[in-house]
Amino acid sequence: MSLPYRTALIVGAGAGISAALARLLTAEGLRVGLAARDTEKLAGLTAETGAEAFPADAADPQAVADLFAQVESRLGEPDVVIYNASARAPGPLASLDPEAVRRAVAITAFGAFLVAREAARRMEPRGHGALLFTGATAGVKGFPLSAAFAMGKFALRGLAQSAARELGPKGIHVAHVVVDGAVRSARRPDPEDRPDSTLTPEGVARAYLELLRQPRDAWSFEVELRPWVERF
């Protein structure tokens, strides 16, 4: 089943989930834009996939508006927008740097609002589109020494819920993906004593792809992805 979309924008692009998404979506025939503060790190991925890179600070309203204008000019209006950006400010609550927390929440949640706002402005007149948010376990339950990340991810989940109720009736599929586990990478392989205890970027990306294939009469709002190894 082919995807009913033509152009995708992934905000917060890098290695891992967003790179796997870029490979899958370009293989499906979509034009793909990749937004990141540092686009030099995307050179290999753009050469491999044909996706185009765009510099942007997701927490800056003007930068996000400019990003969408540039994507429209070079690729066309995106009818799939995926928000994958997040930031952390770990540490004991009593000693957290307020500015570091402000920045972490701005990237994880406020940036998602800015991107969703620009996406909605373009998708609503057409009555068509998909807006996907990358969540985390921290958006469901907070952990010690991780208050800033929990604040951002809880806010992200609330934004996604509100957007889904508002935009779903207008033909826009909004979904929140809870990545409930560590994502495997060269720096984070499976522990030798717990094989298959991490999620692969490719597996997560395929789950996003299946969301995009869903018919409108059976849209999922929230899916939780976790390794098959028992974690409870």
Side-chain angles (χ1 to χ4, degrees):
M1 177 182 176
S2 61
L3 296 178
Y5 305 105
R6 296 180 300 178
T7 304
L9 171 61
I10 303 170
V11 179
I17 294 171
S18 52
L21 278 166
R23 295 183 182 101
L24 278 182
L25 292 173
T26 53
E28 290 286 332
L30 276 71
R31 298 183 293 270
V32 175
L34 304 171
R37 279 177 292 174
D38 174 16
T39 56
E40 290 185 8
K41 66 182 181 181
L42 302 175
L45 183 61
T46 56
E48 174 191 349
T49 62
E52 294 198 38
F54 299 84
D57 179 350
D60 181 330
Q62 189 58 55
V64 173
D66 292 344
L67 166 65
F68 274 79
Q70 292 170 22
V71 171
E72 288 173 16
S73 175
R74 288 161 54 179
L75 300 177
E77 282 193 356
D79 50 5
V80 174
V81 174
I82 301 171
Y83 195 79
N84 195 51
S86 65
R88 299 171 185 260
L93 186 62
S95 58
L96 285 175
D97 175 7
E99 285 306 313
V101 173
R102 187 197 304 273
R103 182 64 179 167
V105 174
I107 293 171
T108 304
F110 183 63
F113 155 72
L114 295 174
V115 169
R117 176 172 172 264
E118 294 295 332
R121 286 178 165 179
R122 290 156 176 82
M123 294 176 181
E124 284 191 54
R126 292 178 289 166
H128 174 74
L131 179 57
L132 308 183
F133 299 93
T134 300
T137 314
V140 180
K141 56 183 178 182
F143 291 92
L145 308 180
S146 189
F149 193 54
M151 290 163 64
K153 287 299 186 181
F154 263 83
L156 178 77
R157 192 181 187 205
L159 168 66
Q161 288 181 355
S162 181
R165 291 180 180 276
E166 177 183 343
L167 301 178
K170 299 178 181 181
I172 300 163
H173 186 183
V174 179
H176 177 250
V177 181
V178 179
V179 180
D180 185 20
V183 178
R184 193 178 307 171
S185 68
R187 292 184 300 176
R188 184 190 280 163
D190 269 340
E192 291 185 6
D193 61 338
R194 295 189 68 208
D196 295 315
S197 62
T198 57
L199 293 144
T200 67
E202 295 75 20
V204 175
R206 284 193 293 272
Y208 280 69
L209 196 65
E210 292 309 309
L211 278 170
L212 296 175
R213 294 192 196 279
Q214 289 180 337
R216 183 174 177 176
D217 62 351
W219 279 347
S220 296
F221 160 66
E222 187 166 77
V223 296
E224 295 190 8
L225 309 178
R226 59 176 61 96
W228 72 269
V229 172
E230 186 64 61
R231 299 183 64 245
F232 299 97

